[in-house]
Amino acid sequence: MKKENQQSSMEEERTYTFLQKLLYLFVFPILFLLTLVLGYLTFQGVNVFDVAQSFIPEKAVTQTEEQEKDEDSQEKESKDAQAPKEVALLEREIIDKQQEITKLAAQLDQANSRIKELETQEEEVKVSTKELSNLYERMSTKKAAEIMMELEEEMAVHILSELSVAKKSSILGSLEPEQAARFTELLAKDE
């Protein structure tokens, strides 16, 4: 009995009016299809409005064209009156921009030369650090650890980073625990 009630209620729910059928069967699918076609044409680079303009009768087009021509001629007349002032302003802006470009180019050249100087200084520091690390490689561990304690932390870390693992570990082992921990932390950050 319940099944019969459910089936009859389903049959009652499924009865659509003529307008609903028309809407579901024709209008929605057509709108969906139009949307797909417009999307595809737009994706392909076709300007749909230009194509639609070609279907408008000539008479309607000529009236709108005449209105546009009248508006254009009025705009041109007003622009012609303002043209000399605008040209002078634009020329001034161009001159200002050229001067600014010249200044920026000079600043860029200075910055590039400064970068080259810094790069050469960095290379010199790397070479000197490498030479110092070779010196510390040949030094006794105890003596190297004593000297490391007296150096600036940054310099000591650069030298330690260039040393072999065995020499580095023996020097760190000879240092005080706090100092060794600090150098280890700085070495970890440096890598």
Side-chain angles (χ1 to χ4, degrees):
M1 186 156 186
K2 287 183 182 179
K3 288 182 182 180
E4 290 177 11
N5 287 338
Q6 287 178 349
Q7 287 178 351
S8 64
S9 66
M10 289 181 129
E11 289 176 8
E12 289 176 11
E13 289 178 11
R14 291 188 185 185
T15 56
Y16 297 113
T17 65
F18 175 74
L19 290 176
Q20 287 175 330
K21 289 179 184 177
L22 182 68
L23 188 68
Y24 292 136
L25 294 176
F26 294 109
V27 175
F28 285 154
I30 289 173
L31 287 176
F32 180 72
L33 183 64
L34 280 174
T35 304
L36 287 177
V37 169
L38 288 174
Y40 177 76
L41 290 174
T42 304
F43 181 73
Q44 292 297 321
V46 176
N47 189 348
V48 179
F49 297 107
D50 287 343
V51 174
Q53 191 78 21
S54 66
F55 293 108
I56 296 176
E58 290 290 326
K59 188 175 182 181
V61 172
T62 55
Q63 289 177 354
T64 56
E65 287 177 359
E66 288 176 12
Q67 290 173 351
E68 288 176 3
K69 286 180 184 178
D70 290 341
E71 291 172 0
D72 288 341
S73 63
Q74 290 173 358
E75 287 179 16
K76 285 181 184 178
E77 290 173 4
S78 65
K79 285 183 182 179
D80 289 341
Q82 296 176 353
K85 292 178 185 178
E86 289 181 20
V87 169
L89 287 172
L90 290 175
E91 286 176 350
R92 280 191 209 130
E93 285 182 27
I94 289 172
I95 291 170
D96 290 342
K97 293 295 181 184
Q98 287 175 340
Q99 291 173 350
E100 188 177 334
I101 288 171
T102 305
K103 288 178 186 177
L104 290 173
Q107 289 175 353
L108 181 63
D109 289 338
Q110 289 175 351
N112 283 335
S113 64
R114 181 70 179 138
I115 288 171
K116 287 180 183 177
E117 289 174 12
L118 290 173
E119 286 175 347
T120 56
Q121 287 177 358
E122 183 181 355
E123 286 298 319
E124 291 172 1
V125 167
K126 283 183 181 179
V127 169
S128 66
T129 305
K130 187 72 170 173
E131 290 173 2
L132 283 173
S133 67
N134 287 336
L135 183 75
Y136 280 88
E137 275 292 335
R138 291 186 221 121
M139 199 180 287
S140 71
T141 303
K142 186 176 180 180
K143 189 69 174 168
E146 289 174 6
I147 295 172
M148 289 283 174
M149 293 288 288
E150 300 298 322
L151 289 175
E152 292 180 15
E153 283 185 348
E154 186 177 330
M155 182 58 131
V157 168
H158 284 298
I159 293 171
L160 281 171
S161 66
E162 294 291 328
L163 294 176
S164 67
V165 175
K167 191 67 170 184
K168 193 183 309 184
S169 64
S170 62
I171 290 174
L172 288 174
S174 299
L175 293 174
E176 295 175 13
E178 296 166 355
Q179 192 69 26
R182 177 73 178 143
F183 282 144
T184 304
E185 183 181 320
L186 292 172
L187 280 171
K189 286 181 182 177
D190 194 35
E191 292 176 7

